Amino acid sequence: MADRRSSPQLHPGAWWLWALGLGAAATRTTNPLLLGLLLTASAYVVTVCRPDTPWSRSYSAFLKLALAVLVVRLVFVVALGSPIPGTHVLLTLPEIPLPHWAQGIRLGGPVTAEGLLFALYDGLRLATLLVCIGAANALASPSRLLKALPGALYETGVAVVVALTFAPNLIADVHRLRAARRLRGRPDRGLRGLLQVGLPVLEGALERSVALAAAMDARGYGRTADVPAPVRRTTGALTLGGLLGVCAGTYGLLTTAGGTYGLPVLFAGVVAALAGLRLGGRRSARTRYRPDRWTPRACLTAASGVAVAALLVMAASADPAALNPGVVPLTAPALPLWPAAAVLLALLPAFVHKEPS
């Protein structure tokens, strides 16, 4: 079998576009069957395509975080009640009386199946979004993603990449230290094991931070080229105006009154923001060694995620009841066929991923 570590890697931006497309699709539906398809598709692609690297192990951590979010959402509904009216009472908890200024909030009381089901649908949507972000972290190299960013976003990208790589490295350190303690016959579980593993992990994180700061200083991080004042002002005006245009255009697309101007304003804002980023890149004096290329496989990967998001947005507008099933009356959700077929497009990266011969 071919070594996965030598597999050809796609452009990191392609993986993030694919994952963000799946996350955008997840925000358009609360149908648990469609959300389950999105989770299954992302898990299959991660299993087939992820490299054997430290950051690829963070996917399981995101799965646990998504499960925790779902459990917390259900616990809140049980403890604080739900605004969804229901007639199927599962259990009745002792209700704690609250003062008059806390009207609208209750602690305890009846727990209905309708309220639990609504919380399950809503929590599953957020959990799916977290899993999609975890898939991007597991598939895309953070350092290669930083190298692909525009020059104007380099400093911001460094901070984001450092934050994204901290969690995977922390998880890898925990696994390594727990394995070492098991080989020595020492406990690696429970409160005692956590306390004895925590200190070496924090010490390793501190040493990694100091080494990173020294490496950034040695490579001239933060040094900028001299740019004329008119260019700086033009860059700021284009970037700020472009971001305002994107916000106004997005608001127009989300409202019925702004449907006529939303798309042109959004397009103009994107063009202005890209022009501002292009001009702002002149301040960065760095060069790129062996930059990543957008291969046909990378384009297909990014296009599959964008297609899933676009098709789910269209389906939500055409048939909102199918993508957001109600819980009152209590009925089982149905699987809409063509939105489900659209979600299956997310599996395309697994089929275009080629192992080396």
Side-chain angles (χ1 to χ4, degrees):
M1 181 181 295
D3 187 2
R4 185 180 293 179
R5 289 174 296 183
S6 59
S7 301
Q9 296 185 4
L10 295 182
H11 194 287
W15 285 125
W16 273 99
L17 286 176
W18 172 81
L20 291 177
L22 267 61
T27 62
R28 308 303 299 177
T29 179
T30 57
N31 191 316
L33 301 179
L34 290 177
L35 293 174
L37 276 179
L38 285 170
L39 288 171
T40 305
S42 64
Y44 181 76
V45 172
V46 169
T47 302
V48 173
C49 301
R50 67 175 173 179
D52 188 10
T53 52
W55 64 81
S56 65
R57 303 169 192 168
S58 62
Y59 185 70
S60 59
F62 277 90
L63 287 176
K64 295 176 183 177
L65 177 62
L67 181 60
V69 167
L70 188 59
V71 171
V72 168
R73 183 71 174 90
L74 294 176
V75 169
F76 277 2
V77 169
V78 172
L80 303 178
S82 172
I84 303 299
T87 57
H88 297 78
V89 179
L90 300 178
L91 72 156
T92 302
L93 300 176
E95 187 169 354
I96 301 176
L98 297 176
H100 67 279
W101 50 265
Q103 292 182 358
I105 303 175
R106 69 175 177 86
L107 294 177
V111 179
T112 62
E114 289 85 352
L116 276 179
L117 197 60
F118 177 79
L120 177 65
Y121 290 173
D122 193 49
L124 186 60
R125 176 169 56 179
L126 179 57
T128 305
L129 179 60
L130 288 173
V131 170
C132 292
I133 300 300
N137 277 277
L139 293 168
S141 169
S143 59
R144 293 174 62 236
L145 179 63
L146 174 62
K147 186 172 64 172
L149 285 177
L153 299 177
Y154 181 67
E155 286 80 5
T156 305
V158 168
V160 173
V161 168
V162 170
L164 290 176
T165 55
F166 179 78
N169 287 325
L170 195 67
I171 294 171
D173 286 346
V174 171
H175 287 307
R176 178 175 55 82
L177 290 170
R178 290 182 62 185
R181 290 184 63 83
R182 284 195 298 268
L183 291 174
R184 293 179 175 90
R186 298 178 181 177
D188 63 313
R189 297 182 181 276
L191 182 60
R192 181 181 177 185
L194 179 63
L195 293 176
Q196 293 182 355
V197 169
L199 185 59
V201 168
L202 292 178
E203 182 182 359
L206 180 60
E207 291 179 354
R208 191 181 303 112
S209 300
V210 173
L212 176 63
M216 291 168 66
D217 182 68
R219 288 166 174 80
Y221 174 75
R223 300 174 186 174
T224 57
D226 292 331
V227 178
V231 176
R232 291 199 301 270
R233 287 192 290 268
T234 304
T235 300
L238 286 174
T239 305
L240 181 60
L243 294 178
L244 291 176
V246 169
C247 294
T250 304
Y251 176 79
L253 290 177
L254 296 176
T255 58
T256 55
T260 56
Y261 70 85
L263 189 59
V265 172
L266 178 62
F267 179 75
V270 170
V271 172
L274 290 177
L277 292 177
R278 181 72 176 178
L279 286 177
R282 295 184 178 182
R283 296 186 61 209
S284 178
R286 67 188 181 94
T287 58
R288 294 179 182 176
Y289 175 69
R290 298 176 63 183
D292 292 308
R293 305 294 182 185
W294 280 88
T295 62
R297 293 193 304 116
C299 294
L300 285 174
T301 298
S304 65
V306 174
V308 172
L311 291 174
L312 263 293
V313 169
M314 293 172 56
S317 301
D319 191 4
L323 268 71
N324 298 281
V327 295
V328 181
L330 196 62
T331 56
L335 179 65
L337 294 182
W338 77 266
V343 172
L344 293 180
L345 291 175
L347 295 172
L348 183 61
F351 295 100
V352 301
H353 179 77
K354 295 180 181 179
E355 294 288 345
S357 57

